[in-house]
C-alpha cells in the first residue's frame, strides 16, 4: 500500500515535467519572436538562450528525479 | 523487495539497503569517483600536452598561410599593376616617338617642298625676266624698224611731193616727235 | 540485483520493465564486490571515451595538414567551439583556464555519445560522476574568485543596483542560488542522460506486446534522435555554465 502511494506521488511529481516544458517553450518562443524582430542580434544571444533553457529544464529534471526516487528509492 | 533480494548474490545483498536506483547506490561512488578522476587527469594531460598545442599550431599556421597567400596575391597584383603601367608608358612613348617621326618627316618633306618651290619660283622668275628681255629687245628692234620705215617713207613721200629738197635731218626730227607723241 | 526484483514484481503484468538496469555498476572481471579500485564497466567506458578523444584530437590531427582531413576538421571544430565559448562568455582572461574547460567538454560529450551506443554504459548518467565534476567546478571557481578578488568576491552577492532595503534579502537569495549551483549543474546533466536512456528502455519494454511494438520502435527511434541532440546540448550547457561561473569568479561585480 505504501508503494502504491509512492507511485501516485511519482505520477504527481511527473506533472513538473510538463511545467518545465511550458517554461522551456516560453523561453524558446520569446527568443524566436525577439529574433524575428531583430535578426541581427539573435546570433549573439544563442548562448543566453541555451542558458535560459537549461535553467528552466533543470527544474523539470528535478521533478523527474523526485518521481524516480518515489518509484525506486522509497 | 527485501525478501527477493535474498536469493541474489553478494553484491545485491550488500546493497540490499541501497535503493533501486543504481545512481543512489553509494557503495559504488568511491569506484566511480576514482575512475572519473583518473580519466579526467588522463584527458587533461592528453589535451594540454599534445592535442591543444598541436591544434593551436595548425590553426595559427593556417592563419599564417592565409595571410601570406593574401600578401603574395597583393604583391602579384601590385606587380601586375606595375607591369600594366610600364606597358602604358611604353605605349605612350612609342606613340610619342611615332608622332615625332611623323612630324620630322613632315618637316623634311615641307622643307624639300619649299626648296623645290623656291627653285621653281626662281626658275620661273629667271625665265620671265629672260622673256621680258627678249620682248623688250623685240619691241626695241620693232621701234627701230618702225622708225627706219617711217623715215624712209617720209623721205620718199617728201621726194614724191618734191617741192623742196627734203632735208634728212628735219624728217628725222619730225618722225622722232611723232613717234614720241 | 535490486532491479531484478523490480522486474520480478512487474512480471505479473506480462510486461517487463528494467529501465534502471543499464545503470548498474558491475565489476569487469567477475566478482561481486566493487572496491574503489575495482575495474568496472565505469572504467571500461571512461577508457573508451579517453580513446575516442585520443583518436579524434591526437590521431585525427597527426598530419597537421593545412587543408584538414575530415577527422582533423572535427577536432578543429571542437577546439574552435570551446575556445570561442570561453572567450565570449568568460572573457580574454578566462582563456587561461581553457584546457580545463576543454577537458570537461570533451569528456562529457564523448561519454554522452558513447552512452548512445546500444548496450553501452553511460558514465555521465551517474550523479557520482556529474556531481564530482560540478563540485570541482564549484570549488575551483570559488577559490579562484577569492584568490583573484579577495573579499571583493563577496560583491557577487551584494546587488548594488538594487534598493538598499532589498539588498540583504537579495544577498540571501544570491547566496542560496550560489550554493545550489553545483546541485543543479550536476543533476541537469545526470538527470537528462538518465531520463533519456530510461525512457528509451521503457519504450523498449512496451515492445513486449506485439500490438504496440511497431509504435514502440517508432518511439524509440524518435527518442534516440532527441537524445543525440540532448547529448550535445547538455555537454554544451554544462560547459557554458562553467564559463559563466568562471566569469563570475573573474569579474564578480554585478
Amino acid at each position: 500500500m505504501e508503494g502504491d502511494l509512492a507511485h501516485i506521488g511519482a505520477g504527481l511529481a511527473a506533472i513538473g515535467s510538463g511545467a518545465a516544458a511550458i517554461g522551456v517553450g516560453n523561453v524558446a518562443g520569446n527568443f524566436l519572436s525577439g529574433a524575428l524582430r531583430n535578426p541581427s542580434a539573435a546570433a549573439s544571444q544563442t548562448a543566453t538562450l541555451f542558458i535560459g533553457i537549461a535553467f528552466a529544464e533543470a527544474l523539470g529534471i528535478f521533478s523527474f528525479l523526485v518521481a524516480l526516487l518515489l518509484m525506486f528509492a522509497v | 523487495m527485501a525478501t527477493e533480494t535474498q536469493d541474489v548474490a553478494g553484491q545485491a545483498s550488500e546493497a540490499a539497503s541501497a535503493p533501486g536506483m543504481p545512481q543512489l547506490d553509494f557503495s559504488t561512488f568511491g569506484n566511480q569517483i576514482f575512475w572519473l578522476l583518473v580519466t579526467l587527469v588522463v584527458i587533461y594531460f592528453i589535451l594540454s600536452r599534445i592535442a591543444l598545442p598541436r591544434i593551436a599550431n595548425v590553426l595559427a599556421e593556417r592563419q599564417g598561410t592565409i595571410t601570406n597567400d593574401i600578401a603574395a596575391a597583393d604583391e602579384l597584383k601590385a606587380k601586375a599593376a606595375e607591369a600594366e603601367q610600364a606597358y602604358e608608358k611604353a605605349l605612350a612613348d612609342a606613340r610619342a616617338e611615332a608622332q615625332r617621326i611623323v612630324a620630322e618627316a613632315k618637316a623634311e618633306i615641307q622643307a624639300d617642298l619649299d626648296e623645290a618651290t623656291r627653285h621653281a619660283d626662281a626658275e620661273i622668275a629667271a625665265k620671265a625676266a629672260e622673256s621680258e628681255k627678249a620682248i623688250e629687245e623685240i619691241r626695241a628692234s620693232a621701234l627701230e624698224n618702225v622708225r627706219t620705215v617711217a623715215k624712209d617713207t617720209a623721205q620718199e613721200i617728201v621726194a614724191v611731193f618734191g617741192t623742196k629738197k627734203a632735208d634728212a635731218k628735219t624728217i628725222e626730227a619730225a618722225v622722232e616727235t611723232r613717234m614720241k607723241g | 540485483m535490486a532491479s531484478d526484483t523490480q522486474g520480478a514484481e512487474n512480471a505479473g503484468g506480462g510486461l517487463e520493465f528494467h529501465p534502471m538496469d543499464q545503470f548498474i555498476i558491475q565489476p569487469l572481471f567477475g566478482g561481486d564486490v566493487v572496491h574503489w579500485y575495482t575495474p568496472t564497466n565505469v572504467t571500461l567506458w571512461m577508457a573508451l571515451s579517453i580513446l575516442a578523444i585520443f583518436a579524434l584530437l591526437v590521431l585525427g590531427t597527426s598530419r597537421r595538414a593545412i587543408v584538414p582531413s575530415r577527422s582533423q576538421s572535427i577536432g578543429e571544430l571542437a577546439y574552435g567551439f570551446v575556445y570561442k565559448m570561453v572567450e565570449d562568455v568568460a572573457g580574454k582572461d578566462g582563456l587561461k583556464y581553457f584546457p580545463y574547460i576543454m577537458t570537461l567538454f570533451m569528456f562529457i560529450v564523448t561519454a554522452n555519445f558513447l552512452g548512445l551506443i546500444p548496450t553501452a554504459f553511460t558514465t555521465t548518467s551517474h550523479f557520482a560522476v556529474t556531481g564530482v565534476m560540478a563540485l570541482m567546478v564549484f570549488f575551483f571557481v570559488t577559490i579562484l574568485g577569492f584568490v583573484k578578488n579577495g573579499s571583493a568576491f563577496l560583491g557577487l552577492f551584494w546587488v548594488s543596483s538594487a534598493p538598499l532595503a532589498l539588498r540583504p534579502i537579495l544577498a540571501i537569495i544570491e547566496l542560496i542560488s550560489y550554493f545550489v549551483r553545483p546541485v543543479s549543474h550536476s543533476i541537469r546533466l545526470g538527470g537528462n542522460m538518465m531520463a533519456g536512456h530510461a525512457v528509451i528502455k521503457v519504450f523498449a519494454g512496451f515492445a513486449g506486446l506485439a500490438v504496440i511494438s511497431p509504435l514502440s520502435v517508432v518511439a524509440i527511434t524518435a527518442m534516440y534522435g532527441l537524445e543525440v541532440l540532448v547529448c550535445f546540448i547538455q555537454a554544451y550547457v554544462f560547459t557554458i555554465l562553467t564559463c559563466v561561473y568562471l566569469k563570475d569568479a573573474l569579474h564578480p561585480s554585478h
Side-chain angles (χ1 to χ4, degrees), chain C residues 48-60:
Chain C
L48 284 178
S49 68
I50 293 177
L51 281 183
I53 293 171
F54 187 80
L56 181 65
L57 292 184
V58 177
L59 300 182

Side-chain angles (χ1 to χ4, degrees), chain C:
Chain C
M1 292 173 217
S3 39
D4 284 356
T5 62
Q6 199 66 39
E9 271 184 359
N10 288 336
L15 290 177
E16 292 196 14
F17 292 104
H18 307 285
M20 306 314 263
D21 270 14
Q22 55 180 327
F23 303 122
I24 293 171
I25 290 163
Q26 292 152 323
L28 269 187
F29 307 110
D32 296 318
V33 189
V34 180
H35 294 295
W36 60 269
Y37 53 83
T38 317
T40 53
N41 45 0
V42 180
T43 320
L44 172 68
W45 287 97
M46 282 186 179
L48 284 178
S49 68
I50 293 177
L51 281 183
I53 293 171
F54 187 80
L56 181 65
L57 292 184
V58 177
L59 300 182
T61 61
S62 58
R63 282 196 297 141
R64 302 162 203 246
I66 291 297
V67 179
S69 60
R70 266 178 286 185
S71 56
Q72 191 184 333
S73 37
I74 292 175
E76 284 170 9
L77 215 61
Y79 180 96
F81 180 72
V82 180
Y83 193 88
K84 195 169 173 304
M85 196 196 304
V86 176
E87 194 178 23
D88 286 354
V89 178
K92 286 266 183 218
D93 40 357
L95 287 178
K96 222 189 318 174
Y97 311 101
F98 167 65
Y100 304 103
I101 294 171
M102 185 75 180
T103 304
L104 282 180
F105 176 78
M106 288 314 293
F107 171 69
I108 295 170
V109 89
T110 48
N112 284 357
F113 278 120
L114 285 174
L116 278 181
I117 299 169
T119 74
F121 176 80
T122 319
T123 50
T124 43
S125 66
H126 275 262
F127 297 130
V129 172
T130 59
V132 166
M133 287 193 293
L135 282 176
M136 276 164 62
V137 171
F138 179 76
F139 283 116
F140 180 78
V141 157
T142 309
I143 292 169
L144 184 76
F146 277 112
V147 168
K148 285 259 171 186
N149 305 291
S151 55
F153 183 60
L154 293 172
L156 187 63
F157 308 112
W158 195 250
V159 189
S160 49
S161 57
L164 190 60
L166 277 178
R167 281 184 210 172
I169 305 168
L170 281 178
I172 293 170
I173 295 175
E174 289 279 333
L175 203 64
I176 292 173
S177 80
Y178 188 81
F179 282 101
V180 169
R181 272 177 181 183
V183 179
S184 66
H185 205 184
S186 61
I187 289 188
R188 181 181 300 114
L189 174 61
N192 262 300
M193 287 300 107
M194 178 176 64
H197 287 74
V199 166
I200 288 181
K201 270 285 154 73
V202 168
F203 282 139
F206 277 118
L209 288 182
V211 186
I212 42 176
S213 59
L215 193 67
S216 176
V217 170
V218 171
I220 288 174
T221 314
M223 273 312 290
Y224 195 92
L226 183 69
E227 279 305 291
V228 171
L229 200 67
V230 164
C231 277
F232 180 74
I233 287 181
Q234 287 309 317
Y236 172 66
V237 163
F238 193 98
T239 319
I240 205 166
L241 284 177
T242 306
C243 292
V244 169
Y245 300 160
L246 185 64
K247 188 202 74 182
D248 281 349
L250 294 172
H251 316 282
S253 55
H254 259 281

